[in-house]
Amino acid sequence: MKADRLITECRLATMVQSDEPYGAVEDGAILIHHGKIVWAGPRGELPKHKAAETDLLGGRWVTPGLIDCHTHLVFGGDRSGEFEQRLGGATYEEIAKAGGGIVSSVRATREASEDDLFDSAMGRLEGLKATGVTTVEIKSGYGLDMEAELKMLRVARRIGKEGGVRVRTSYLGLHALPPEHRDDRDAYVDLAIGDILTAAHDHDLVDAVDAYCEPIAFTTAEVSRLFERARSLGLPVRLHADQLSDGGGAALAARYGALSADHVEHTTEEGVKAMAQAGVVAVLLPGAYLMLRETQAPPIALFRQHGVKMAVASDCNPGTSPLASMTAAINLACVQFRLTPEEALAGATREAARALGLYADVGRIRKGLAADLAVWDIDRPAELAYWLGKPMLHARYVGGDPS
């Protein structure tokens, strides 16, 4: 068997579903050729091969590279002042209605150059990479006009080329109402669904379409129009659903066969059943839950009962989740939502890949998938959920190359 690289003397948490927790292989090896895994399993069963490079890992654990499937990584400025306001008692809704929130990030993002946006995003990306991330989803949604939305998406594509990670982009035109359209809501919705999305698609800048469905954001009718347009362009959809209230977002996501419904703190059993039937992944965002000091957790027991897959992501953004660590997100998912460590790690690998439509490409250590891997200085996989802030990453591989 031809191979560019052999990784051995390691333990594998393959995250392939099996009777073995974590899909674990205690004494494992991986063969990589042309950026893909061509064999993975017990070292004693290693086939004959010719590998140009051999990496001996001294018994360290190897997992699939972590996948952050929900981020707002590209934005201008920050909102640390609003953080202080919330600590002083102001609610997220009150800040938004006073011209803060998303709209304040819109102003800063429009004023920033592409290079400035790239440089600031790369700083945040370093935090994610240092916690084992090899794939990142990046949304637009802080531009809210033609020029700035396309600028954000171009920066996201550049990160995918220069940042040492795989990137999937999401067009989030229905994120907030820009100030210039405060008195002409319909005109903005028409612009976001029509000209801006069309331009983003024509320039190959968008991999999926997203929206924020809440009373302070956009209605189910408006989101339905966006999703119909996405469907006509052959683009998959995702949805910020039921974060602050039960607005029927999960059911709407299911109706359109969305890849995921994200946040879902207020989703009802009816919505959970609809997600299960449609195969919609629930993306859990414990960073936002923590920062907003929410008290209603997502319906984890219902997701388990009805077989809804659960992903975990950072929701890295300037306002409600300034979190740039996937191991911290894994820890918070366990502590706040009571996921098991295995569920949380699956949520940051296998199920996160499913939420991005990348299940056949990344997220498990398995023959035929990309050789995106994270190597850890740990004694057992549960440590990735246990430690908060401890450096554990030994190495990353993206497409089989050390990074």
Side-chain angles (χ1 to χ4, degrees), residues 52-224:
E53 302 283 344
T54 298
D55 294 350
L56 306 178
L57 297 185
R60 292 181 173 88
W61 278 94
V62 183
T63 71
L66 302 191
I67 299 167
D68 196 346
C69 66
H70 181 128
T71 86
H72 304 255
L73 197 69
V74 175
F75 57 83
D78 69 40
R79 279 150 56 190
S80 55
E82 292 177 16
F83 173 65
E84 290 183 302
Q85 287 180 272
R86 289 201 305 275
L87 291 177
T91 67
Y92 181 67
E93 292 90 337
E94 289 169 345
I95 292 170
K97 289 178 180 178
I102 294 168
V103 173
S104 65
S105 291
V106 170
R107 289 192 293 270
T109 301
R110 288 179 176 180
E111 293 170 0
S113 70
E114 287 194 27
D115 284 343
D116 289 341
L117 291 175
F118 177 80
D119 290 342
S120 65
M122 286 295 290
R124 294 181 283 274
L125 180 64
E126 287 305 313
L128 296 176
K129 289 167 62 176
T131 54
V133 169
T134 55
T135 298
V136 182
E137 183 261 9
I138 302 175
K139 304 180 191 296
S140 69
Y142 292 128
L144 306 184
D145 64 17
M146 176 75 77
E147 179 182 357
E149 284 290 295
L150 297 185
K151 176 173 65 174
M152 291 185 69
L153 291 168
R154 285 194 298 269
V155 170
R157 284 284 192 241
R158 181 179 170 189
I159 291 170
K161 294 176 181 176
E162 302 178 28
V165 291
R166 300 182 192 275
V167 168
R168 300 291 283 181
T169 62
S170 295
Y171 169 67
L172 183 58
L174 295 190
H175 193 199
L177 197 64
E180 67 270 20
H181 284 93
R182 186 170 297 169
D183 298 322
D184 198 358
R185 180 185 186 91
D186 290 343
Y188 176 70
V189 172
D190 289 344
L191 176 66
I193 294 173
D195 291 350
I196 303 178
L197 176 54
T198 300
H201 177 262
D202 289 349
H203 288 87
D204 192 28
L205 295 175
V206 56
D207 298 317
V209 171
D210 200 344
Y212 186 25
C213 187
E214 284 287 347
I216 64 169
F218 294 91
T219 67
T220 56
E222 291 164 336
V223 173
S224 293

